[in-house]
Amino acid sequence: MEKYNVKQILALESYGETITVEGWVKTKRGSKNVAFIALNDGSTINNIQIVVDFEIIDASLLDDVHTGASLKITGELLKSEGKNQTVEIKASEVIIYGKANPDEFPIQPKRHTLEFLREHAHLRFRTNLFGAITRVRHAMIFAIHDFFNQKGFCNVHTPIITGSDAEGAGEMFRVTTLPLDIPPKTENGTIDFSEDFFGKETNLTVSGQLEAELAALALSKVYTFGPTFRAENSNTSRHLAEFWMVEPEVAFADINENMDLAEELLKYCVKYAMEKCSDDIDFLDSRFSNEQKGKPQNERSELGLKEQMNFVLENDFVRLSYTDAIEILRNSKPNKKKKFNYIIEGWGADLQSEHERYLVEKHFKKPVILIDYPKEIKSFYMKQNDDGKTVRAMDILFPGIGEIVGGSQREENYEKLKTRMGEMNIPQEEMWWYLETRKFGTVPHSGFGLGFERLLLFVTGMGNIRDVIPFPRTPKNAEF
RNA sequence: UCCUCUUUAGCUCAGUUGGUUAGAGCACCUGACUGUUAAUCAGGGUGUCCCAGGUUCAAGUCCUGGAAGAGGAGCCA
């Protein structure tokens, strides 16, 4: 006898065939002679309807079948008499693998708040919503590897434990095996890390970029896709302490090729989701619309989820220099009427969230790529422009999400890089290996970082980043 | 880290001016119903009112401190 998953069964037409299916109960509806069980195994968002005829199955068996129980059903595949499905299974045997006591099982067949489900992250996979998000997340992982593989990129695993704390991307998590209560001390009273596991201070990585650059300067086109850790005390719906980042690095590529690559990658992923996860995206689209209905008019999204995705696919991203952005913002209504919390006075100011949102959501109403930022507000490794004021940085801003990509052309000139490190107090002795790549066969190269969970926010229409990663790590929260 | 808001039944929430025994819907159980679609209809009881202090004859309600969660800001991806 053939064993199928629910997704396969829903596509079968071999009526009369005896088949077996295993899964978890979504809902049970009973009447005097017959009961209906909606069964799901996670292979699709759709359920298979099990018909239990009490002339064939003892009705008391279903006393232990509630939402959440796990079952093995054997029965006959039939064309459904009901309206909402094409096929169903008329059970000849019902085996209960595990009950789910409804007094204790927290996932009821009703609407739960996302906050409640976050506190039950071990069980939230069982909901339609988190099943859909998990499948879309999987598809996006594949889309990314697929994209780069097709383009001849080499995937490189960069280290997760790093000996450098000079990457400048944020606060780091210390990795140590030293005893916390009585750490060994040096003569002048500081902690003696020479006795630590690695013989030096080590941390969890905040970015694989620097190591990816090393690989790019031999393999030309590489990317890393791995976990990243930031010990910032950020309590927002867009930040995680542990998140996944896609970081391509390309030799012989300038900032324009870098922007082309990022735009193409984002569009590829969005298209992939719409094509490969259409059932899940349909579900997420209607969830998104329902959520918008509950919001005040001025906070509602003008477009639906699928409309937003199509819009991104059909339009070129706006490419705009920092200097031009400042001009637009300075002459904007909210700036003149002093509606911004931070009024744009002139060139040099860092852009705040409200400014980025104005550009993306009000002025252009499209994804925007901002380039050529003042060097003072960007990292040491970014290539300096000839004007002596700006660097070849690029940030991609998405509606509702903000910065989804940050990247740059890298400074390939040894002397310029060294000078800039000095100016920005980056310890050069520690970074000797990074500098050496500029000494031996240096080439122009570029790369960027794409926040994987931020991409998922866009593709799923979810509003909180804690809901697009299975087990979110945030300040004061490492349960599960 | 800062600002604002929230915390009452398993879940979602209401609870008036501080005043008797703290309520509703869902879930659950029982019954009815020949095929339901988060089935429907009738009946059944459930509480550390987030924690610790304080004010008061009396606190879910007022005050102080704390914790957790959410939204926004900063940092960024």
Side-chain angles (χ1 to χ4, degrees):
Chain A
M1 195 194 330
E2 202 64 44
K3 193 159 128 179
Y4 300 103
N5 68 30
V6 171
K7 188 179 183 180
Q8 291 168 324
I9 291 169
L10 292 173
L12 287 178
E13 290 179 6
S14 50
Y15 306 116
E17 184 184 356
T18 298
I19 59 172
T20 291
V21 62
E22 293 154 313
W24 294 266
V25 175
K26 285 280 179 189
T27 58
K28 180 185 74 168
R29 297 175 291 277
S31 63
K32 196 175 184 181
N33 303 321
V34 67
F36 303 91
I37 296 168
L39 201 71
N40 186 276
D41 64 359
S43 58
T44 163
I45 192 150
N46 301 308
N47 304 320
I48 180 75
Q49 171 155 286
I50 310 298
V51 182
V52 181
D53 186 336
F54 295 145
E55 286 184 13
I56 302 169
I57 306 283
D58 182 4
S60 67
L61 186 65
L62 293 200
D63 290 349
D64 286 332
V65 174
H66 297 99
T67 298
S70 47
L71 303 181
K72 179 181 186 178
I73 303 288
T74 301
E76 190 183 355
L77 184 76
L78 296 174
K79 212 167 193 157
S80 180
E81 292 172 35
K83 286 172 189 164
N84 295 3
Q85 60 277 322
T86 53
V87 299
E88 62 189 25
I89 297 172
K90 187 162 189 180
S92 54
E93 188 181 36
V94 175
I95 293 170
I96 300 173
Y97 284 125
K99 303 181 211 174
N101 182 347
D103 290 334
E104 298 171 55
F105 186 59
I107 311 298
Q108 296 164 11
K110 58 168 284 188
R111 180 177 289 278
H112 289 101
T113 60
L114 295 170
E115 291 83 0
F116 173 77
L117 292 171
R118 240 169 260 153
E119 288 169 9
H120 297 82
H122 58 310
L123 296 170
R124 67 178 177 169
F125 291 111
R126 308 272 188 103
T127 63
N128 289 332
L129 178 60
F130 284 90
I133 292 168
T134 305
R135 283 184 295 270
V136 171
R137 186 178 169 108
H138 162 81
M140 290 299 91
I141 294 166
F142 255 73
I144 284 158
H145 285 298
D146 197 30
F147 175 83
F148 286 119
N149 188 49
Q150 282 179 31
K151 289 190 160 296
F153 279 65
C154 195
N155 181 235
V156 176
H157 286 153
T158 50
I160 289 166
I161 298 172
T162 168
S164 127
D165 63 354
E167 290 161 30
E171 288 296 310
M172 302 182 98
F173 287 102
R174 168 75 40 81
V175 175
T176 182
T177 55
L178 292 177
L180 288 177
D181 45 348
I182 35 153
K185 296 279 178 68
T186 59
E187 282 176 9
N188 50 24
T190 57
I191 293 173
D192 185 4
F193 284 101
S194 70
E195 292 199 24
D196 205 347
F197 186 90
F198 294 105
K200 62 184 294 194
E201 284 189 64
T202 50
N203 295 287
L204 294 177
T205 183
V206 293
S207 163
Q209 178 200 317
L210 301 186
E211 288 90 352
E213 281 189 54
L214 312 184
L217 291 176
L219 294 146
S220 296
K221 293 156 90 173
V222 304
Y223 71 106
T224 78
F225 184 5
T228 329
F229 307 88
R230 308 237 171 127
E232 303 285 352
N233 190 8
S234 309
N235 294 287
T236 83
S237 53
R238 299 183 304 283
H239 291 86
L240 290 164
E242 176 182 292
F243 65 100
W244 290 69
M245 190 151 63
V246 182
E247 294 176 286
E249 201 64 40
V250 187
F252 315 110
D254 65 14
I255 189 74
N256 291 309
E257 291 168 86
N258 203 26
M259 288 190 277
D260 292 343
L261 183 71
E263 184 168 343
E264 202 184 336
L265 170 65
L266 287 167
K267 287 179 171 173
Y268 186 86
C269 289
V270 170
K271 190 159 178 245
Y272 194 100
M274 293 194 89
E275 285 174 1
K276 301 284 167 68
C277 309
S278 56
D279 286 352
D280 290 321
I281 297 294
D282 284 346
F283 175 84
L284 291 164
D285 182 61
S286 64
R287 191 208 75 94
F288 183 81
S289 303
N290 285 334
E291 192 185 57
Q292 296 301 316
K293 280 178 202 158
K295 285 185 177 180
Q297 196 84 40
N298 58 339
E299 288 174 26
R300 271 184 217 172
S301 167
E302 287 178 30
L303 299 177
L305 175 59
K306 279 158 73 173
E307 288 172 333
Q308 276 182 14
M309 291 168 81
N310 276 319
F311 188 80
V312 162
L313 291 180
E314 288 160 8
N315 288 281
D316 290 339
F317 297 1
V318 174
R319 299 186 184 188
L320 185 72
S321 75
Y322 166 88
T323 306
D324 291 344
I326 287 290
E327 276 312 298
I328 291 172
L329 288 167
R330 198 157 61 169
N331 295 318
S332 70
K333 262 191 197 168
N335 200 59
K336 286 182 171 169
K337 292 189 173 173
K338 307 225 189 288
K339 288 278 169 62
F340 284 142
N341 289 321
Y342 295 86
I343 304 300
I344 298 286
E345 306 280 4
W347 199 90
D350 207 351
L351 300 182
Q352 310 292 322
S353 296
E354 57 182 348
H355 305 132
E356 295 179 351
R357 271 217 302 277
Y358 175 82
L359 289 171
V360 172
E361 291 164 19
K362 293 277 172 352
H363 189 83
F364 291 109
K365 301 193 175 188
K366 279 187 202 182
V368 171
I369 312 183
L370 278 178
I371 54 172
D372 294 333
Y373 280 82
K375 65 179 180 183
E376 285 75 19
I377 58 174
K378 287 291 179 183
S379 301
F380 72 92
Y381 49 71
M382 295 187 177
K383 183 173 175 64
Q384 296 171 48
N385 281 313
D386 294 337
D387 61 12
K389 287 159 64 183
T390 58
V391 289
R392 283 187 198 169
M394 65 142 186
D395 285 355
I396 302 186
L397 311 176
F398 256 45
I401 294 165
E403 188 176 343
I404 193 168
V405 163
S408 70
Q409 186 167 339
R410 317 307 189 190
E411 182 56 75
E412 81 270 20
N413 181 286
Y414 179 79
E415 290 303 330
K416 282 187 183 169
L417 180 61
K418 212 169 174 246
T419 305
R420 195 70 189 131
M421 286 172 85
E423 286 169 2
M424 297 182 81
N425 296 317
I426 308 290
Q428 296 173 39
E429 321 76 57
E430 247 183 65
M431 304 285 282
W432 62 272
W433 46 271
Y434 187 69
L435 276 162
E436 275 204 356
T437 55
R438 272 64 170 174
K439 248 162 97 178
F440 307 123
T442 190
V443 298
H445 63 287
S446 299
F448 62 83
L450 164 66
F452 182 59
E453 282 78 16
R454 291 197 180 165
L455 171 65
L456 279 169
L457 282 179
F458 181 74
V459 165
T460 60
M462 299 301 289
N464 192 314
I465 203 161
R466 298 172 183 112
D467 296 325
V468 296
I469 188 167
F471 303 104
R473 297 284 105 109
T474 52
K476 299 270 171 358
N477 187 0
E479 193 67 54
F480 311 107

